[in-house]
Each structure stands twice: as C-alpha cells, then as structure tokens.
Amino acid sequence: MWFYQYCQRPPFLLLSAFLFSKSSDRFHEYLIQTKLYQKYINEMVIERKTTRKKRNQSLFTVTLIFLIAVMITPVWIGKICLLMVMSIHHFIMLKKVEIINE
C-alpha cells in the first residue's frame, strides 16, 4: 500500500497509453493522424530533422513539464530519475536531431 503513495501516476498513464496505442491499430492510426503529431513529431520520428523553432518549442514544453513534476515529487530518488530522463531528452534533441532551414 505504501508504494502507491510514492509512485507518480502520469508516467504510468503515459506508458499505458503508449502500450495501448501499440496494441490497437485503430488507436495508433488515430494518434498518428492528429495535428499535433503531424506538426511536431512526425518529421522528427521519420527523418530525425526539425526546424529550430519546433525544436525550441518542444524543449521548452518538455522542460516545463519535467520541472513541475520535479517540484511536486516528494521523493528525492524520483526527482533524480526525472532529471536524468529530462537530460537524456535534451541530449537527444540537441545532438541527434538535425536542424533544417525553415
């Protein structure tokens, strides 16, 4: 019972949504065809390219969400894990994704 008090729900909800999208072709097609996916994610996933503006918007949004999660997480090990995941995301976005001209 004590485990549920310390575990954060959003990562598990995101994981379940990801796994559900992989198990259901219909839901997966729906996610791929949304405007947000087409605008921000599709180009990065397929070609590993994006514009500087989209990359900066993505980094700002992810950083903001992770910092809010770090501030409200009561457990230090959870804060460390969140910061590690955020730093890996930044590394990938800054070093592995190529910038194209708009």
Side-chain angles (χ1 to χ4, degrees):
M1 187 71 173
W2 62 271
F3 177 74
Y4 296 114
Q5 295 173 355
Y6 295 107
C7 97
Q8 298 295 315
R9 291 181 197 109
F12 292 109
L13 290 174
L14 290 173
L15 178 63
S16 64
F18 172 76
L19 293 175
F20 181 72
S21 73
K22 289 295 186 180
S23 68
S24 169
D25 290 335
R26 196 168 131 202
F27 186 64
H28 183 70
E29 289 298 320
Y30 166 74
L31 286 178
I32 288 176
Q33 303 210 356
T34 59
K35 289 181 183 178
L36 285 174
Y37 184 89
Q38 293 296 324
K39 185 175 180 182
Y40 293 105
I41 300 173
N42 193 33
E43 204 171 49
M44 279 190 268
V45 170
I46 293 174
E47 300 176 13
R48 293 229 178 222
K49 296 178 184 177
T50 189
T51 62
R52 187 175 306 279
K53 182 179 177 183
K54 287 181 186 178
R55 183 193 69 181
N56 291 341
Q57 287 175 340
S58 174
L59 282 173
F60 176 75
T61 304
V62 169
T63 302
L64 183 67
I65 291 170
F66 269 101
L67 290 178
I68 291 170
V70 167
M71 288 190 314
I72 64 173
T73 302
V75 182
W76 281 100
I77 191 76
K79 292 179 187 234
I80 293 169
C81 289
L82 285 169
L83 290 172
M84 286 175 47
V85 170
M86 185 177 73
S87 64
I88 291 169
H89 180 267
H90 277 74
F91 174 76
I92 291 171
M93 288 295 290
L94 294 173
K95 299 293 182 185
K96 302 291 183 183
V97 177
E98 182 182 339
I99 300 296
I100 57 176
N101 294 327
E102 293 181 41

